[in-house]
């Protein structure tokens, strides 16, 4: 558990830890990702996943989606520190704004023959995964879903010859008509 | 109107347009074009330091004593890395600094070129913001933005890393007409509903205390004036952090002295017993709070801070107010006057009686001596002999710093320059040089320790070169005193490596630099020696030989609460405390 940023013993209280998805809108300038990543490492906060890409090319704005865990006070600190960064436009806590849509994409390579291979195909079909590549001894599947679905899929694939996994991390958006 | 000029000329023009009169720096290969631009003008005066760390501390002293932005110019590689300690110091103490670093030419970046380092990477964590300039078109905007970011909101250091090829390039310079930034917009005005709630809570207080900090100083002299007005209106006691000294006059009856680890008995107990705490521009630093779960257990708290990330960081508060101290104080004063609340006079009177009782302990008393100079006595005499003139004090870090904070009485803001957050030994002399430049007629004294002063001793040469008559008042106890004190407390008096061996003869050292050396080791001679120091119009090193064994009290030992202060043996009716047994195993882990 990350401690409060003090060298003195924390007050004896146990705060529950929760998972938050933050959407951070930033100017896409050199070093902006290093500023965000450095803030987390420098202050001992967790990053569970981080995705970033330019979303508005004309104004060079990127959207960073960060999944992090911490006590409520740590989450508040993270948001306050992110908002202080000069190239940051806005920080929205999608976990607080309600049940956000959260999707992640993964590529899974399974290697095997015979019954194992057949079982891998059945499981992929059951999850609705797409086959992106196939050889006589392997498949590459693509699955898009919530982090939990992907975790389940990968866990099952482990039994039938999982060889490699690549995941994008979470992209998220609030439900309803309002934009950010 | 735009004008064509080189990147190097743009740097100097920006400084002129920003009203900068002095910059502190050290030349090198990657900033030569800028130095050439300096050569061609005389509006911006360059102060040549002897080490880049000194340049940043000098700029900090300049900034903190004048309210202006301090400007630093250093070269790439070692120039930039040497500046890092100063930048971190300015970051921790919220001092507005613009530091321009040279960088190797754009096409060489990343090639491990001579004197190349990843300056923006290295300084990302110790600056408020930093820039690597990648084209001449961006340069005027970035330079002006650097000043804006450094000086607004919670002030801090900003680095502009400028490759050498861009310094040579021609471009068009226009002074930006607006400061409006697309993303950076600090909150200045406090939320009026929260301020109203704060006033209501203050009006209902039975045992209130103002806990004020460096934010009041950073907010400008107007904030100090408003704090005084609010304190007068309410009649509440005021205590201050190390960084906030001078915002409220030390001689005033409502002032309880500094609080925290080496704060006064009355301040710390007032913090412990209060029912309403009004934090104005302080950040609940660990030197203040001590043990968090024992910190001010009975209080409701109001916290005024311009930095949203300071709110609820270490200590939970009931009423957070994000905004600039002066603006919030102005609203507070106005609302208090408008509502003219009925305060609980009986309770407040009782509170003051209690405080006066604590004050009666006279926690800063110490065992006097006719034979050796007590360090506390030295600071007291320095104060008495300088209080009638405009005096600025800087310090290094350690026991002498705490004694200076305890025994020198500050009546005005911006007269006290010390490294609080980072605790940088070697800060005081360069800071004094910067302060003296900003206030050429004033008396500037660096209260120093013999160990700290040696960390940036080379800046004596700078003082001599620019005829800056700074006074270095060394409380020489031949120990890294605070280290020795902690070794006494925590490590059975095993003084590992804390003895200052092979010290230079400070009098001869002063003379070698072209300054004046004075030594004093008798209490009876002290006044005359201090007067001699004040009256010399040249840099002075004053070697004040003091008691080697004196410890700094009161002290809240690590891991203890405000109500568990250690006092000077002189005040303990039960006799000396066995310092080795005070701190428990858990406390030993702390700094």
């Amino acid at each position: 558990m990350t401690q409060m940023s003090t060298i003195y013993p924390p007050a004896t209280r146990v705060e529950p830890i929760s998972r938050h998805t933050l959407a951070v809108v930033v100017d896409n300038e050199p070093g902006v990702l290093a500023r965000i990543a450095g803030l987390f490492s420098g202050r001992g906060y967790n990053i569970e996943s981080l995705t970033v890409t330019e979303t508005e090319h004309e104004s060079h704005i990127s959207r960073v989606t960060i999944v992090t865990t911490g006590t409520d006070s740590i989450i508040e600190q993270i948001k306050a520190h992110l908002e202080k960064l000069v190239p940051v436009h806005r920080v929205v806590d999608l976990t607080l704004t309600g049940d956000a849509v959260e999707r992640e994409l993964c590529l899974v390579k399974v290697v095997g023959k015979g019954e194992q291979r057949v079982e891998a195909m059945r499981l992929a079909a059951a999850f609705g995964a797409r086959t992106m590549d196939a050889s006589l001894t392997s498949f590459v599947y693509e699955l898009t879903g919530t982090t939990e679905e992907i975790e389940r899929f990968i866990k099952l694939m482990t039994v039938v010859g999982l060889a490699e996994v690549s995941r994008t991390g979470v992209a998220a958006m609030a439900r309803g008509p309002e934009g950010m | 109107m735009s004008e064509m000029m080189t990147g190097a000329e743009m740097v100097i023009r920006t400084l002129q347009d920003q009203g900068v009169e002095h910059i502190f720096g050290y030349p090198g290969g990657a900033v030569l074009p800028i130095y050439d631009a300096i050569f061609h003008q005389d509006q911006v005066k360059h102060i040549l330091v002897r080490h880049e760390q000194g340049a940043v501390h000098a700029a900090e002293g300049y900034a903190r004593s004048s309210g202006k932005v301090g400007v630093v110019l250093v070269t790439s590689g070692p120039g930039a890395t040497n500046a890092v300690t100063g930048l971190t110091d300015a970051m921790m103490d919220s001092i507005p600094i613009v530091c321009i670093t040279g960088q190797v030419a754009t096409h060489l970046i990343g090639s491990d070129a001579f004197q190349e380092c990843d300056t923006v990477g290295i300084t990302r964590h110790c600056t408020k913001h930093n820039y690597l300039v990648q084209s001449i078109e961006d340069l005027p905007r970035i330079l002006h933005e650097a000043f804006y970011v450094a000086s607004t909101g919670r002030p801090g250091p900003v680095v502009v890393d400028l490759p050498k090829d861009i310094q040579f390039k021609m471009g068009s310079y226009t002074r930006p007409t607006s400061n409006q930034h697309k993303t950076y917009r600090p909150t200045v005005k406090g939320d009026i509903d929260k301020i109203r709630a704060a006033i209501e809570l203050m009006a209902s207080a039975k045992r209130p205390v103002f806990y004020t900090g460096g934010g009041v100083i950073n907010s400008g002299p107007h904030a100090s004036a408003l704090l005084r007005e609010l304190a007068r209106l309410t009649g509440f006691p005021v205590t201050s952090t190390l960084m906030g000294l001078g915002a409220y006059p030390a001689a005033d009856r409502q002032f309880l002295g500094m609080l925290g680890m080496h704060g006064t008995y009355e301040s710390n107990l007032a913090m412990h017993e209060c029912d309403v705490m009004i934090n104005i521009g302080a950040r609940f630093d660990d030197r203040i709070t001590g043990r968090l779960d024992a910190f001010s257990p009975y209080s409701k708290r109001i916290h005024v801070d311009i930095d949203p990330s300071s709110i609820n960081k270490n200590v939970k508060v009931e009423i957070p107010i994000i905004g600039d101290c002066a603006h919030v104080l102005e609203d507070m004063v106005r609302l208090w006057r408008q509502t003219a609340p009925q305060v609980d006079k009986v309770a407040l009177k009782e509170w003051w009686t209690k405080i006066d009782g604590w004050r009666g302990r006279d926690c800063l008393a110490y065992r006097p001596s006719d034979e050796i100079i007590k360090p506390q006595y030295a600071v007291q005499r320095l104060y008495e002999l300088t209080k009638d003139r405009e005096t600025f004090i800087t310090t290094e870090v350690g026991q002498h710093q705490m004694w200076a904070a305890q025994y020198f009485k500050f009546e005005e803001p911006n007269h006290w320059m010390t490294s609080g957050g980072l605790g940088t030994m070697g800060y005081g002399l360069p800071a004094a040089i910067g302060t003296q430049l900003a206030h050429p007629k004033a008396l500037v004294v660096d209260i120093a320790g013999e160990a700290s002063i040696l960390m940036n001793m080379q800046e004596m040469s700078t003082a001599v070169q620019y005829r800056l008559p700074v006074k270095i008042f060394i409380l020489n106890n031949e120990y890294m005193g605070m280290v020795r004190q902690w070794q006494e407390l925590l490590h059975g008096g095993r003084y590992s490596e804390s003895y200052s061996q092979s010290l230079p003869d400070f009098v001869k050292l002063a003379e070698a630099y072209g300054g004046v050396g004075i030594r004093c080791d008798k209490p009876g001679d002290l006044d005359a020696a201090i007067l001699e120091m004040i009256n010399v119009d040249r840099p002075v090193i004053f070697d004040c030989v003091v008691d080697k064994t004196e410890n700094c009290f009161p002290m809240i030992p690590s891991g203890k609460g405000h109500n568990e202060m250690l006092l000077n043996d002189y005040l303990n009716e039960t006799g000396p405390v066995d310092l080795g047994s005070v701190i428990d195993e858990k406390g030993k882990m702390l700094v």
Side-chain angles (χ1 to χ4, degrees):
Chain A
M1 192 192 114
T2 319
Q3 288 209 327
M4 294 281 283
S5 52
T6 167
I7 47 165
Y8 281 91
T12 44
R13 53 168 181 224
V14 184
E15 283 187 72
I17 290 180
S18 56
R19 189 157 171 261
H20 284 245
T21 305
L22 310 177
V24 188
V25 179
V26 301
D27 271 342
N28 185 16
E29 59 178 40
V32 65
L33 191 58
R35 281 181 215 286
I36 291 173
L39 188 162
F40 278 78
S41 65
R43 294 187 181 267
Y45 305 139
N46 300 312
I47 297 182
E48 299 230 321
S49 96
L50 186 150
T51 60
V52 55
T53 228
E54 194 170 83
T55 49
E56 295 169 43
H57 295 305
E58 262 161 37
S59 45
H60 297 291
I61 282 177
S62 290
R63 178 161 165 148
V64 186
T65 309
I66 305 171
V67 180
T68 180
T69 53
T71 60
D72 285 354
S73 54
I74 284 174
I75 300 291
E76 284 310 310
Q77 278 289 299
I78 291 173
K79 288 188 276 188
H81 282 295
L82 282 171
E83 270 164 1
K84 266 171 72 177
L85 295 176
V86 170
V88 168
H89 287 262
R90 232 174 13 256
V91 179
V92 176
D93 188 337
L94 292 170
T95 305
L96 289 189
T97 53
D99 181 29
V101 179
E102 293 190 16
R103 309 293 281 173
E104 189 178 347
L105 184 145
C106 80
L107 294 174
V108 172
K109 184 179 281 183
V110 282
V111 178
K113 284 180 180 168
E115 187 49 37
Q116 211 184 30
R117 187 172 157 83
V118 177
E119 188 55 39
M121 283 173 72
R122 280 196 207 111
L123 285 169
F127 274 82
R130 294 170 62 198
T131 309
M132 304 309 292
D133 178 66
S135 74
L136 291 173
T137 54
S138 69
F139 289 111
V140 174
Y141 293 120
E142 178 217 291
L143 179 68
T144 306
T146 62
T147 300
E148 291 72 24
E149 278 167 344
I150 286 172
E151 293 286 345
R152 264 201 308 278
F153 183 62
I154 292 170
K155 204 172 160 194
L156 285 167
M157 284 299 170
T158 316
V159 190
V160 292
L162 181 83
E164 197 178 331
V165 178
S166 174
R167 293 169 68 165
T168 58
V170 171
M173 193 170 279
R175 291 175 195 271
E178 283 89 29
M180 223 178 92
Chain B
M1 205 187 74
S2 79
E3 254 181 272
M4 293 304 284
M5 60 180 81
T6 67
E9 287 164 346
M10 283 182 195
V11 171
I12 301 306
R13 173 61 72 85
T14 304
L15 298 182
Q16 292 167 346
D17 285 352
Q18 287 284 342
V20 175
E21 289 166 52
H22 295 101
I23 64 173
F24 304 87
Y26 204 101
V31 279
L32 284 178
I34 302 175
Y35 273 84
D36 199 43
I38 289 173
F39 191 82
H40 283 102
Q41 55 88 54
D42 53 11
Q43 202 175 330
V44 178
K45 289 184 187 61
H46 179 271
I47 305 300
L48 176 68
V49 293
R50 300 302 187 264
H51 185 286
E52 289 88 348
Q53 185 193 350
V56 188
H57 292 326
E60 286 185 273
Y62 188 87
R64 201 163 171 79
S65 67
S66 68
K68 299 178 191 162
V69 176
V71 183
V72 177
L73 174 61
V74 297
T75 193
S76 63
T81 56
N82 277 345
V84 164
T85 301
L87 293 169
T88 314
D89 193 90
M91 183 72 173
M92 291 286 267
D93 286 344
S94 313
I95 314 291
I97 298 288
V98 169
C99 176
I100 297 158
T101 56
Q103 181 56 277
V104 299
T106 319
H107 70 279
L108 289 173
I109 289 178
S111 71
D112 296 327
F114 176 64
Q115 293 199 328
E116 182 193 354
C117 74
D118 176 7
T119 301
V120 285
I122 290 169
T123 61
R124 198 170 283 132
H125 299 269
C126 61
T127 53
K128 184 173 171 187
H129 194 50
N130 61 14
Y131 303 86
L132 171 61
V133 184
Q134 289 178 315
S135 85
I136 186 79
E137 286 73 39
D138 295 337
L139 185 57
R141 173 187 61 81
I142 287 177
L143 287 168
H144 284 279
E145 198 177 296
F147 276 86
Y148 177 64
V149 172
S151 58
T152 53
R154 181 176 177 176
V158 176
V159 162
V160 179
D161 198 25
L162 184 53
K164 194 171 179 181
D165 54 330
I166 296 175
Q167 297 171 32
F168 278 119
K169 268 202 187 118
M170 290 294 282
S172 126
Y173 174 86
T174 348
R175 187 182 177 173
T177 45
S178 149
N179 272 332
Q180 192 68 268
H181 193 276
K182 57 181 169 173
T183 50
Y184 172 76
R185 282 182 201 147
T187 309
V188 180
K189 278 300 264 177
D191 178 341
I192 197 72
D193 291 332
K194 293 223 167 104
I195 298 175
R196 205 165 274 130
I199 293 292
E200 266 171 42
L201 181 61
M202 283 161 68
S204 70
K206 295 183 190 318
R207 302 185 309 279
V209 66
F210 281 109
Y211 151 41
T212 64
V216 183
I217 309 270
N218 279 335
S219 185
H222 187 49
S224 294
L226 286 162
L227 171 67
R228 292 162 192 220
E229 196 176 346
L230 185 62
R232 241 191 332 270
L233 280 172
T234 55
F236 296 171
V238 181
T239 177
S240 166
T241 67
L242 181 74
M243 297 308 292
L245 294 176
Y248 196 82
D252 190 274
R253 205 192 77 84
Q254 277 169 256
F255 191 63
L256 309 184
M258 182 175 75
L259 82 161
M261 185 173 266
H262 293 290
T264 63
Y265 191 67
E266 50 271 32
S267 281
N268 286 334
L269 285 182
M271 288 288 279
H272 189 77
E273 301 273 313
C274 68
D275 69 341
V276 173
M277 178 191 295
I278 310 125
N279 173 344
I280 315 243
R283 61 183 176 93
F284 294 107
D285 177 82
D286 57 61
R287 299 296 94 166
I288 297 305
T289 60
R291 191 188 169 114
L292 275 174
D293 57 4
F295 176 70
S296 194
Y298 318 111
S299 63
K300 284 211 162 83
R301 296 145 193 163
I302 298 161
H303 185 185
V304 181
D305 203 306
I306 199 158
D307 177 1
S309 73
S310 286
I311 305 290
N312 291 334
K313 181 173 65 179
N314 299 335
V315 170
K316 291 254 185 261
V317 295
E318 278 73 18
I319 305 179
I321 301 168
I322 295 164
D324 175 57
C325 288
H327 281 87
V328 176
L329 280 166
E330 200 171 336
D331 286 338
M332 283 181 156
V333 167
R334 201 191 59 244
L335 280 175
W336 188 277
R337 280 191 197 282
Q338 268 173 15
T339 52
Q342 288 296 310
V343 293
D344 188 340
K345 285 200 176 116
V346 180
L348 287 177
K349 190 152 188 290
E350 266 175 47
W351 179 228
W352 272 110
T353 309
K354 211 165 185 182
I355 289 170
D356 287 337
W358 294 327
R359 217 177 227 167
R361 276 305 283 273
D362 194 13
C363 69
L364 294 177
Y366 55 92
R367 188 171 284 113
S369 167
D370 293 333
E371 273 125 50
I372 44 172
I373 301 174
K374 289 285 185 174
Q376 302 96 321
Y377 177 74
V379 177
Q380 275 178 326
R381 292 318 302 162
L382 181 67
Y383 168 65
E384 290 299 332
L385 295 169
T386 58
K387 67 180 178 187
D388 296 327
R389 57 172 78 219
E390 171 105 79
T391 306
F392 292 81
I393 299 290
T394 71
T395 74
E396 310 289 332
V397 168
Q399 284 184 322
H400 67 272
Q401 178 190 27
M402 293 299 114
W403 284 317
Q406 291 171 333
Y407 295 92
F408 206 98
K409 308 289 175 206
F410 296 94
E411 301 297 310
E412 295 299 330
N414 304 97
H415 282 62
W416 163 247
M417 273 62 62
T418 193
S419 170
L422 193 64
T424 312
M425 292 169 74
Y427 168 89
L429 172 54
I433 286 171
T435 304
Q436 186 81 74
L437 259 170
H439 306 274
K441 297 223 166 70
L443 174 69
V444 181
V445 184
D446 169 26
I447 298 181
E450 84 291 335
S452 279
I453 191 65
L454 288 176
M455 283 215 181
N456 271 325
M457 190 70 245
Q458 77 285 346
E459 298 306 330
M460 183 69 180
S461 184
T462 310
V464 171
Q465 179 181 343
Y466 296 95
R467 299 172 194 278
L468 299 168
V470 297
K471 315 293 188 241
I472 305 166
F473 190 73
I474 302 173
L475 301 179
N476 184 349
N477 61 1
E478 293 180 25
Y479 275 102
M480 298 160 206
M482 197 56 96
V483 174
R484 188 193 50 70
Q485 179 167 342
W486 279 62
Q487 286 172 331
E488 188 176 340
L489 254 82
L490 299 177
H491 297 283
R494 293 180 295 280
Y495 300 130
S496 179
E497 303 294 326
S498 54
Y499 181 63
S500 297
Q501 214 143 30
S502 305
L503 281 174
D505 178 329
F506 284 108
V507 173
K508 283 190 190 155
L509 188 63
E511 286 160 5
Y513 275 114
V516 175
I518 300 171
R519 178 172 295 117
C520 182
D521 56 7
K522 301 238 162 22
D525 301 339
L526 188 59
D527 278 20
I530 290 175
L531 286 172
E532 186 191 342
M533 171 184 87
I534 296 169
N535 292 325
V536 177
D537 193 28
R538 285 162 63 195
V540 176
I541 300 181
F542 189 115
D543 185 14
C544 187
V545 181
V546 299
D547 189 348
K548 294 183 192 358
T549 58
E550 194 66 27
N551 281 332
C552 195
F553 291 111
M555 178 178 188
I556 304 175
S558 25
K560 304 276 179 184
H562 279 178
N563 53 344
E564 298 173 281
M565 251 170 295
L566 294 176
L567 292 177
N568 194 319
D569 278 347
Y570 180 64
L571 293 168
N572 288 323
E573 292 93 357
T574 49
V577 179
D578 173 18
L579 284 182
S581 67
V582 174
I583 298 180
D584 57 22
E585 285 305 313
K586 249 184 153 175
K588 283 184 187 174
M589 251 93 69
L590 309 171
V591 182

